[in-house]
Amino acid sequence: NALSCDLSPAEKAEALVFTSREGVEQFAQGTGLRRTPVFCVGEATAETAKEYGFETVETGPGDVRGLALTLKEKGFHTIVHI
């Protein structure tokens, strides 16, 4: 079962950040939001996001610091970490 929570910040975000497969699963089960670009810390998380139908999925270098640098380089400011 997906956790119940306020998803309005995610609806307004320029990008979503996932650092675990479980985070992707819980979020995907609780919302139909699939068009916001998704950035994942590594391959396993990215594959899970793709399986759940997120349209734009980018894979980070495998660590949070590298992922943060990627987001900064791409110019994202409003980010929600799931």
Side-chain angles (χ1 to χ4, degrees):
N1 278 343
L3 300 173
S4 176
C5 61
D6 177 13
L7 297 174
S8 60
E11 293 169 353
K12 298 173 187 171
E14 294 176 315
L16 302 175
V17 173
F18 292 103
T19 52
S20 73
R21 291 178 294 173
E22 293 79 14
V24 173
E25 292 167 356
Q26 289 293 316
F27 184 82
Q29 291 171 12
T31 180
L33 189 66
R34 298 294 188 273
R35 291 189 175 168
T36 304
V38 168
F39 290 82
C40 299
V41 71
E43 278 294 326
T45 307
E47 285 304 315
T48 302
K50 291 173 187 173
E51 289 169 8
Y52 275 93
F54 289 93
E55 294 179 14
T56 304
V57 179
E58 293 205 29
T59 306
D63 61 64
V64 174
R65 185 177 194 290
L67 186 58
L69 290 172
T70 298
L71 289 160
K72 182 179 178 181
E73 288 170 1
K74 292 188 176 277
F76 288 100
H77 301 288
T78 309
I79 301 161
V80 173
H81 174 219
I82 310 294

